Amino acid sequence: MKLWRDNQIPGTKSKAKGTALGGRGDNINVDIRKSEAGIEWMEEFLLNSPTPVLKIEKEGVITYSNEAGKPLIEEWGSIPGGKVPLNIQKIVRKAAFRRKSEFLELKAGEKTYLATFVPSADGKYTVLHTSDINSSKKMERKLSLIDGYYEAFIRVAELSLICTDLQTLLDKSFNLIISTLDAKYCKILKLLNDGNFLVEAGVGWKPEDTGKVIKREEASVAGYTVLSKKPINIEDLDKKGSIERMGLYGYSEITHGISVLVGSLEKPYGVLAVHSTRKEKFTKEDACFLKGIASMLSLALERNKVESTLLDKVLFLETLVDTIPAPVFYKDREGIYRGCNDLFAKMILGIPKEKVAGCSIDEFLEKIPQELGNVYKRTDRQLLQRGGSLIYESRIMCSDGLLRQFLINKAAYRNLNGDMEGLVGVMLDITGQKRTEGSLLKSEERYRLAAEQTGQLIYEFDLRNGYGEWAGAVKELTGYTYNEMQNFSYYDWLEHIHPDERRRVQQEFKKCWNTGEKFNEEFRFRRKDGSYFSVENKGVYLKDEEGLVCKALGVMKDITELKLSSEKLKESEEMYRSFLQNFKGIAFKLDRNFTPLFMEGAVEEITGYTEKDLISGRINFFNLLDPEDFSNCRKKMSAAPNSIMEYDYRFRRKDGTVRWVHELIHNICNEKGETEFIQGYAYDITQKKKAEETLAKAEAIGMREIHHRIKNNLQIVSSLLSLQADKFKDRDVIEAFRESENRVASMSIIHEELHKSEDTTSIDFAAYLRKLTSELLYSYRIGNEKVHLFLDVDHTFLGIDTAVPLGIIINELFSNSLKYAFSRGADGEISISLCRLPEISGSFIESSSCIGTAGPGIQTGFKLVYSDSGGCFPENIDFYNPDTLGLQLVNALVEQLDGTVEIEKGDQTRFTIRFEDKGF
């Protein structure tokens, strides 16, 4: 695959032509060769890039792709030189329009890419380059699965602590287990003293199965789980036997199962079993999760029996540590790890927690850098010497390869004799918090820059001491430097308010101080040079915990230009009123109830009434409207919020004459979408309407005359063909002339119908079809007297561009049936039906009846069905690639209609043609 042909690579310059003066031509040629070599290197680099690189024109055409881009193009269903999908075209146009890179995740086969759309400087094309993010996606799914496990762990741990009823604990835990593992069945088989098992509790099983005693020889899986101490995947054993052998029937849908020991080998409580109907097997992670849940349930069961042995306490504490959603570890005074939770082992070290106990930090140099380990050992020694606790932050590379920020809290602990025993640490992941803090700092900086760029001053006054802080466009607005402004107290600020407005502003501040309302005042503020500028001051008073006002926060905005604009607006309004007095139309404003608020312009000239007549309500303008136009006028005036509508309507003047008016209205709405008022203008278009009506009548008369002349000419041609046929004796020649005569006649009938019709662009195809078939039956009457015609065609109007080819198609099929389908003098039937296809969402579907509509919109889809009972269509004729002129015409004319034709062969020959009326 080649790079852009005859195009430069973006970012390179064209080759220089000629040489410079002063004998530097050789150096320029060397530079050109280097540039060409650089371009060749870049082409080679892009071509062999392991990730897709594409060039896409603004119109969506792919003009370049390297080898790695082929799977992506195939995924789109396109080719080099073809177009990208619509969603990609939108991204390309967006990047080109904004001159800014856009980003999007794309899939190609099993790979996922992060695509960057980089627009060219002139916006004519976009370069798409990608990076493979498959591994990060897999890691996200894995972390999401682990999060689900941890959430379930935490919830079960909470349940084990808050549930006093054992059955409630088991029911809630079972529901949590099957929800987390996407399973359907869960139960506990309690190990009895005689070695048998009791179905103690479960979810998903039949109620009658709870309480069943299963003999130990029938519960081999449960027994093996107890003996092995490890999770047993039931798929590895006899699945069917393992369920039905226990006397549990009606569970043939079960495909997989897993069981774990509840309790310990020395004192087992029973077995926790989970069964699934999914195709996917239970994974090692599922087994670890279920094992953890089983451990927590075991603790709860042991606690329920009030067995407070040391082993139970240790197990409970270990389980509790494992449920803590943060890495936890503890060491002895020699720095040897004595234990940790799973999160510490997996997240920090990436090993099972069993391998952590008994090791020092020096044995994890592959996991923890030596310099960082030395820092940890030094802080641990200091903590063990003085006791207490220590909190600090540290950046740690975790086992998943991600660098995270942790808040580490270490505390020394003593034994019962008061001697220092070791220390325990909890690591809180604050990566997200730090990221949020960074984002907040960036947001504050952006807000400060935005305030500077928009000409605003932001201030915060501590009213307990009177001092404040300033930010924003300090120097630009006040003339003071940033440092000078920081020395401003609340009272200095008040002194800079114009003396004529200072008292009013102070009174308003005092009012807001007492009521707690936000303040919003406009006043003039003095600059450093003594000049004043107008400001809009918005802010609020803040209260402390005791409810006393302690701070004032506000924003000062320069509105000097706004004040000037307001004055100019008043001048503009005066000019507007002057314009309306000379305007040859009517400008108006209505309230939400359509009551006129004002009318200006040629009111009396157009309506015959004065402005006072209409504004006062003595004359209701809407009563003057033509009844046919009134409802349409009110609907459009109540159109969508803030919409602009144009329409024409008629009204009766004071002198009784009818005038046409063109009106443009704007529906002004509030934030809730409710109409506030309606404004617009109208002007007289009566003369324009009269001219349009005259032109339309002349055009209709001309079209009917044209159709009349075409009909006459076609009849002359038909007569000439008939006369010429009489000159020959060869039957084939005579038949050819007769077929041509019938084709011309079919077109002549259409123009005859158009001449008679009021509508010169479409005809009633039902009437046309009756006349055409009647002519054909008469033409082929000898030998076909017993052939009967059945028409099922409603009043359907078709445009001339559709009616002409469709009439010729029916002529060919009808003539073919009369000539070849029926034996001379034999009985026969010919059936023709035409129906409209209902339209749904812009496309057509075929129903059993073809009658009726399916929503708003013009329906232009039709189905024509032609059949005869003259026997099977000859097998030696390929309908779609025929040798005969008639069938070639049928296929060509169907294609001209952008339609489709199907043929069904059997006792009857049936043609089904679907098409759309191009005339509409």
Side-chain angles (χ1 to χ4, degrees), residues 304-573:
N304 188 262
K305 293 181 179 180
V306 200
E307 295 180 359
S308 54
T309 62
L310 180 59
L311 180 62
D312 295 330
K313 291 181 180 179
V314 171
L315 181 62
F316 174 74
L317 290 175
E318 288 181 352
T319 306
L320 183 61
V321 168
D322 280 338
T323 61
I324 296 175
V328 179
F329 63 89
Y330 51 95
K331 304 177 180 179
D332 60 18
R333 57 182 302 104
E334 283 76 29
I336 304 300
Y337 286 102
R338 291 305 174 189
C340 66
N341 65 352
D342 283 334
L343 194 58
F344 177 83
K346 295 178 180 178
M347 184 177 182
I348 305 301
L349 300 177
I351 60 176
K353 69 176 183 178
E354 292 79 11
K355 293 186 179 182
V356 177
C359 299
S360 67
I361 198 170
D362 295 328
E363 299 178 57
F364 299 122
L365 292 179
E366 295 182 359
K367 311 294 182 182
I368 302 175
Q370 185 174 2
E371 58 273 14
L372 190 58
N374 293 334
V375 174
Y376 292 160
K377 288 190 289 184
R378 184 169 62 253
T379 57
D380 291 350
R381 283 195 301 269
Q382 295 173 356
L383 189 59
L384 290 171
Q385 288 173 2
R386 60 180 175 81
S389 61
L390 178 65
I391 300 176
Y392 61 92
E393 293 182 8
S394 178
R395 292 170 64 85
I396 298 174
M397 181 66 71
C398 298
S399 61
D400 57 8
L402 298 178
L403 190 63
R404 293 186 173 90
Q405 187 87 7
F406 287 92
L407 179 66
I408 303 176
N409 187 353
K410 292 182 180 178
Y413 65 91
R414 303 175 184 270
N415 59 21
L416 295 176
N417 298 325
D419 299 328
M420 196 68 66
E421 189 71 20
L423 59 85
V424 62
V426 178
M427 305 170 64
L428 181 63
D429 186 355
I430 59 172
T431 308
Q433 178 183 337
K434 286 293 182 181
R435 190 181 297 114
T436 302
E437 291 176 357
S439 299
L440 182 60
L441 290 174
K442 292 180 181 179
S443 178
E444 290 177 350
E445 179 64 16
R446 286 195 295 268
Y447 184 67
R448 182 186 66 79
L449 293 174
E452 291 180 357
Q453 297 300 319
T454 56
Q456 296 184 11
L457 283 174
I458 304 170
Y459 61 84
E460 177 182 347
F461 285 116
D462 189 338
L463 300 178
R464 291 168 294 194
N465 53 33
Y467 290 101
E469 295 181 2
W470 294 79
V474 176
K475 188 172 181 61
E476 292 83 350
L477 294 184
T478 67
Y480 292 99
T481 64
Y482 178 79
N483 291 331
E484 289 174 337
M485 205 68 182
Q486 300 308 317
N487 295 326
F488 265 49
S489 67
Y490 179 72
Y491 303 101
D492 294 331
W493 176 66
L494 289 175
E495 286 297 320
H496 278 68
I497 298 176
H498 196 282
D500 295 344
E501 300 170 329
R502 188 178 302 150
R503 182 175 179 80
R504 172 181 61 80
V505 174
Q506 286 179 317
Q507 289 177 348
E508 182 64 22
F509 286 166
K510 185 176 181 180
K511 174 187 172 184
C512 295
W513 183 305
N514 294 328
T515 62
E517 298 177 355
K518 296 178 181 180
F519 51 83
N520 185 357
E521 284 294 312
E522 293 182 3
F523 51 82
R524 287 168 288 175
F525 194 82
R526 189 175 74 245
R527 294 189 176 92
K528 185 177 181 178
D529 60 8
S531 62
Y532 286 89
F533 66 99
S534 298
V535 299
E536 179 186 57
N537 182 52
K538 293 183 178 180
V540 65
Y541 288 109
L542 301 180
K543 297 182 179 180
D544 57 18
E545 297 177 353
E546 298 177 358
L548 301 176
V549 174
C550 62
K551 289 185 178 181
L553 296 176
V555 177
M556 292 172 57
K557 181 180 179 181
D558 186 359
I559 60 171
T560 305
E561 293 185 1
L562 184 62
K563 287 285 187 181
L564 294 174
S565 299
S566 179
E567 294 175 1
K568 291 181 179 179
L569 181 60
K570 291 180 180 178
E571 296 177 2
S572 177
E573 288 178 352

